[in-house]
């Protein structure tokens, strides 16, 4: 096949910029990379390890059933780290897009609550929230930002074990109906700071592509596992690439 001419490439780029600027319907997926510069450890990478254990081996119902104290010690470690973290320019830029676009959904795999702290409200926390705790006995759920002195913590009402209000491997992710609908109608799908290793989120770009009516872009530190599926990609730290891309959507000086 002949190489496309410089004019053809420039024309296609102009069309993409116009599409991104004018689109009214957006779905954005984020992962641990968007919070990395806030100080929250990512999962895959050396800083995600806790006592040399791979987080994937701890984030399971089986690990909790076997040793709830150990799983809670890991969550307490993560909660302590996250408690001192503030949203960064990447989180804030996404909240600014939400404020302007009529149809917007931010789907995050992160449980740190930093998107909400940045002002995002049209938000689906697909893996739950680390500040929520749920009783495995009576199902009571509450918001708890403080540390627990005795691990594993117990329910004040029924004495059952409390667990973090997050989704573990093998469990059903939250808000899937709402997310499916957003993926089906969006004109722009952005994937930010995720390795693309964990489903269902890793499959969202396929779902959007299958429909063939949306522009797709990946913003990440390095190519994700599904990188070749995106129409466009920008690699670098989220605090730089996200505000830069938001400038494409909202215009300069948003
Ligand atoms: P990962 O830790 O798998 O991947 C983090 C991604 O962020 C990688 O692609 C990095 O290249 C990128 N990254 C790192 N620093 C960055 C920065 N400063 N700016 C931009 N990108 C950066 O995290 P997730 O993909 O979110 O699930 O992981 C998905 C799920 O796996 C998590 O929600 C969690 C985990 O196990 C459960 O616990 C169920």
């Amino acid at each position: 096949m002949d190489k496309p001419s410089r004019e053809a490439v420039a024309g296609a780029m102009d069309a993409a910029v116009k599409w991104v600027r004018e689109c009214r319907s957006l779905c954005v997926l984020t992962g641990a990379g968007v919070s990395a510069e806030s100080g929250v450890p990512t999962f895959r990478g050396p800083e995600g390890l806790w006592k040399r254990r791979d987080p994937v081996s701890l984030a399971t119902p089986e690990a909790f059933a076997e040793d709830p104290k150990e799983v809670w010690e890991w969550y307490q470690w993560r909660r302590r780290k996250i408690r001192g973290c503030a949203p960064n320019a990447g989180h804030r830029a996404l909240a600014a897009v939400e404020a302007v676009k009529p149809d917007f959904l931010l789907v995050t795999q992160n449980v740190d609550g930093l998107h909400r702290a940045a002002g995002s409200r049209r938000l689906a926390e697909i893996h739950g929230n680390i500040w929520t705790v749920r009783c495995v006995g009576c199902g009571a759920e509450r918001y708890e930002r403080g540390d627990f002195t005795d691990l594993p913590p117990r329910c004040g009402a029924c004495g059952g074990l409390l667990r973090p209000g997050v989704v573990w491997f093998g469990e059903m992710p939250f808000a899937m109906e709402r997310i499916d609908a957003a993926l089906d109608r969006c004109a722009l799908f952005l994937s930010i700071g995720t390795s693309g290793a964990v489903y269902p989120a890793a499959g969202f770009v396929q779902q959007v592509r299958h429909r063939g009516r949306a522009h797709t872009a990946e913003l990440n530190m390095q190519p994700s596992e599904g990188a070749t599926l995106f129409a466009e990609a920008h690699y670098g730290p989220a605090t730089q690439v996200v505000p830069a891309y938001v400038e494409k959507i909202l215009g300069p000086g948003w």
Side-chain angles (χ1 to χ4, degrees):
M1 203 165 65
D2 287 343
K3 237 177 119 181
S5 68
R6 198 181 274 261
E7 290 74 25
V9 172
M13 279 172 63
D14 286 349
V17 169
K18 192 167 180 299
W19 180 276
V20 165
R21 179 78 50 92
E22 291 176 1
C23 77
R24 293 169 59 80
S25 181
L26 278 79
C27 184
V28 180
L29 168 70
T30 64
V34 78
S35 295
E37 290 158 274
S38 291
V40 182
T42 59
F43 290 89
R44 289 165 189 81
E47 75 283 13
L49 299 179
W50 174 76
K51 294 187 181 173
R52 298 193 191 197
R53 276 201 64 175
D54 174 2
V56 174
S57 70
L58 290 158
T60 65
E62 292 77 21
F64 188 69
E66 199 173 297
D67 195 343
K69 186 165 190 280
E70 184 175 44
V71 171
W72 259 112
E73 281 170 354
W74 178 56
Y75 276 98
Q76 190 104 303
W77 174 76
R78 283 190 71 83
R79 284 164 60 99
R80 282 184 180 151
K81 270 188 178 274
I82 295 169
R83 202 177 288 125
C85 297
N88 64 45
H91 299 105
R92 287 194 294 274
L94 294 173
V97 178
E98 174 184 324
V100 170
K101 292 291 180 179
D103 182 19
F104 179 93
L105 184 66
L106 174 53
V107 182
T108 187
Q109 298 168 91
N110 300 344
V111 298
D112 55 34
L114 292 182
H115 283 302
R116 188 166 289 278
S120 291
R121 291 296 175 268
R122 285 181 271 166
L123 181 66
E125 292 177 312
I126 187 171
H127 289 161
N129 188 295
I130 202 163
W131 305 116
T132 310
V133 290
R134 188 169 73 244
C135 175
V136 299
C138 67
E141 204 171 87
R142 71 181 156 95
Y143 182 86
E144 178 56 70
R145 248 188 114 84
D147 264 355
F148 295 102
T149 37
D150 291 322
L151 295 181
R154 297 222 160 241
C155 174
C158 78
L161 269 182
L162 289 181
R163 60 163 283 177
V166 302
V167 172
W168 285 328
F169 287 99
E171 296 182 324
M172 285 290 286
F174 292 126
M176 279 312 294
E177 257 182 52
R178 189 176 169 211
I179 295 165
D180 273 338
L183 294 170
D184 281 348
R185 41 167 215 271
C186 67
L188 175 62
F189 173 71
L190 292 182
S191 171
I192 304 174
T194 175
S195 58
V198 175
Y199 283 81
F204 291 171
V205 62
Q206 302 263 30
Q207 187 172 336
V208 172
R209 266 171 61 106
H210 185 67
R211 221 174 18 106
R213 278 189 282 121
H215 184 66
T216 57
E218 161 161 280
L219 313 179
N220 207 6
M221 191 64 108
Q222 59 205 44
S224 68
E225 291 188 17
T228 55
L229 300 171
F230 291 87
E232 187 187 2
H234 300 273
Y235 298 115
T239 53
Q240 291 173 25
V241 291
V242 179
Y245 200 84
V246 166
E247 189 159 317
K248 282 192 188 207
I249 302 174
L250 300 183
W254 52 271

